[in-house]
Each structure stands twice: as structure tokens, then as C-alpha cells.
């Protein structure tokens, strides 16, 4: 069973043992002294409750950034993953930063990064946090991750870099940003696709309309790629796969 999407009002009792419920309620109330006393008895913050949820995940979904900060002050690991079951092959790990990316919880992401969460955190589908921010047009989150040294060449399960992923998602303003900042634009995905392929495909299928900002960004990306030695039309994904 996959970890459920936590909604407001899902109590800690639904996921954790009584000792952890007491600890989480103390953190939620902002009582650092009481929370520390509970931790001192051996109650850990980095554990898995029902459906693979961790205390930090619960706090991020159910409380405010002050509670999250307090849990991190008390020693919670910002990268300690939850377990999520996506299919019959069993559970996979999901890091909180990537789970929050693309949502409205940018302030929570800021707190995690302040406590040295990896900006390259991935979700259960191996999607980097940056990709989730791009997919949901979260400019503030993209800039936040860039400011914390996110790896623009980290890839998803299909070997897409940040620039390649952005182009695939028709998010050319991000593709331009990432290439300008030194991100890889030439390494193909497992299907043989590149940024240049995406531009060629989107123009052919008329997914890029002249007069729109996305078209303008795509043309700037194309000009930049040509400056960097990329030829248009580029080799097709099939030709790239055959060459490799």
C-alpha cells in the first residue's frame, strides 16, 4: 500500500506508536524541553510508522515550519526517507524535500535546506526535487534549489538531465536557465532524446506557437545550442540509440 497523501487533520495516532505520538504532540506544541525529555528516554525521530511515514513527513504535512524546524533542532535527519509502495515490486524510498517540491510548501523546503537537506533529493519515482519544481512551474523553488547547489546533471530514471527534462515538459524557460548555468544539454535519455530533439519535435507538431513566451524561450535555447555546435535538424532518437 502506498503512503497516503496526508491531509489536514490526519492525527499522529493513525501512524505512530503512543510514545511517538506524545513526542510529536510536544513538537507540535513547540515544547522543546518536553520533546527533548522524551527523546532522552530513547524515542527516536528517525523511524518509520504505518505506511512507511516518518515523523518528519508527518510534521511537514500536518504542522507549520516552526514545528519542522524544532524537529530538526532536536536531531531529525532531513534526508531520512519514507517508504512508498508504487507497485507490486515493494516499497521504495522517498526523501521529504522532493516530496514537497512542486507543492505549496516552499517554506518547508527552505527549512530543510537550511538544515543541510540534499538539494538532490529524489522521490519514490527517482524524480529529483528540481524536476518536480519544474513540472509545477515553481520558480521560487527552482531558484531555491539552485542557490543551494543542486546538481543540474543529476538524472531521473530515464536518464534525463534537468535541461532535457525541462524541454520534454515544454518548459523551455527552465531549459534555457539550466543550460546557461552549465547544465548538460547533449546527453541523451534512455530513449535517445535530447534537448535539440524536443525542440525539433515541438516545432514539427506545432506545440510551440510563434508569439508565445515559450516559443521565444525555445528559440533562444535553439540559438544557444547552435552556438555550442549542435546541428539542426539533430539526429533522431532512433539514430541516437543506434549510434550508442
Amino acid at each position: 500500500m502506498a503512503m497516503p497523501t496526508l491531509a489536514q487533520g490526519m492525527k499522529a495516532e493513525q501512524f505512530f506508536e503512543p510514545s511517538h505520538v506524545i513526542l510529536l504532540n510536544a513538537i507540535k506544541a513547540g515544547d522543546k524541553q518536553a520533546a527533548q525529555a522524551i527523546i532522552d528516554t530513547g524515542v527516536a525521530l528517525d523511524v518509520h510508522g504505518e505506511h512507511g511515514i516518518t515523523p518528519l513527513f508527518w510534521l511537514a504535512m500536518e504542522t507549520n515550519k516552526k514545528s519542522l524546524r524544532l524537529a530538526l533542532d532536536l536531531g531529525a535527519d532531513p534526508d531520512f526517507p519514507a517508504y512508498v509502495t508504487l507497485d507490486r515490486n515493494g516499497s521504495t524510498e522517498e526523501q521529504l524535500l522532493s516530496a514537497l517540491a512542486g507543492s505549496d510548501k516552499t517554506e518547508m523546503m527552505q527549512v530543510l535546506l537550511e538544515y543541510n537537506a540534499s538539494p538532490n533529493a529524489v522521490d519514490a519515482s527517482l524524480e529529483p526535487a528540481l524536476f518536480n519544481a519544474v513540472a509545477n512551474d515553481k520558480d521560487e523553488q527552482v531558484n531555491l534549489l539552485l542557490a543551494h547547489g543542486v546538481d543540474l546533471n543529476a538524472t531521473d530514471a530515464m536518464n534525463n538531465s534537468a535541461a532535457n527534462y525541462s524541454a520534454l515538459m515544454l518548459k523551455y524557460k527552465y531549459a534555457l536557465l539550466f543550460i546557461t548555468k552549465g547544465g548538460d544539454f547533449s546527453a541523451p535519455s534512455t530513449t535517445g532524446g535530447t534537448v535539440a530533439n524536443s525542440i525539433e519535435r515541438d516545432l514539427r507538431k506545432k506545440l510551440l506557437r510563434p508569439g508565445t513566451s515559450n516559443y521565444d524561450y525555445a528559440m533562444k535555447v535553439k540559438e544557444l545550442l547552435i552556438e555550442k555546435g549542435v546541428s539542426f535538424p539533430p539526429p533522431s532518437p532512433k539514430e541516437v540509440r543506434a549510434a550508442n
Side-chain angles (χ1 to χ4, degrees), residues 49 58-59 112 114 117 164 174 193 203 213 219 228 232 234 241:
W58 185 85
L59 287 165
L112 290 169
E114 286 175 11
N164 205 355
Y174 296 125
L203 288 171
S213 60
M219 292 303 97
K228 292 179 177 292
F232 280 84
R241 293 195 304 272

Side-chain angles (χ1 to χ4, degrees), residues 43-197:
V43 179
L45 275 169
D46 296 331
V47 297
H48 294 103
E50 287 292 319
H51 311 303
I53 294 173
T54 70
L56 209 61
F57 263 73
W58 185 85
L59 287 165
M61 301 299 179
E62 277 295 303
T63 65
N64 56 39
K65 64 179 182 179
K66 290 183 179 179
S67 297
L68 185 67
R69 188 182 297 279
L70 176 53
L72 292 164
D73 276 338
L74 290 165
D77 180 353
D79 291 323
F80 186 73
Y83 290 131
V84 179
T85 303
L86 297 179
D87 52 38
R88 295 179 181 177
N89 293 325
S91 60
T92 57
E93 294 183 351
E94 177 161 273
Q95 292 171 297
L96 181 55
L97 185 75
S98 192
L100 296 177
S103 74
D104 61 355
K105 294 183 178 290
T106 305
E107 289 187 346
M108 295 284 193
M109 293 177 63
Q110 173 72 59
V111 172
L112 290 169
L113 289 164
E114 286 175 11
Y115 283 80
N116 298 315
S118 171
N120 304 309
V122 298
D123 65 17
S125 300
L126 300 182
E127 202 88 330
L130 182 63
F131 291 26
N132 291 334
V134 165
N136 290 279
D137 296 301
K138 297 293 185 178
D139 289 2
E140 187 176 357
Q141 294 178 8
V142 169
N143 290 330
L144 179 63
L145 291 165
L146 287 171
H148 282 82
V150 68
D151 182 2
L152 293 177
N153 295 328
T155 57
D156 63 10
M158 297 297 292
N159 202 46
N160 290 301
S161 67
N164 205 355
Y165 177 83
S166 299
L168 280 172
M169 296 293 290
L170 283 165
K171 311 283 186 179
Y172 283 102
K173 71 174 182 179
Y174 296 125
L176 179 63
L177 174 63
F178 300 151
I179 295 170
T180 300
K181 289 185 173 294
D184 188 7
F185 57 85
S186 59
S189 68
T190 55
T191 62
T194 63
V195 175
N197 291 139

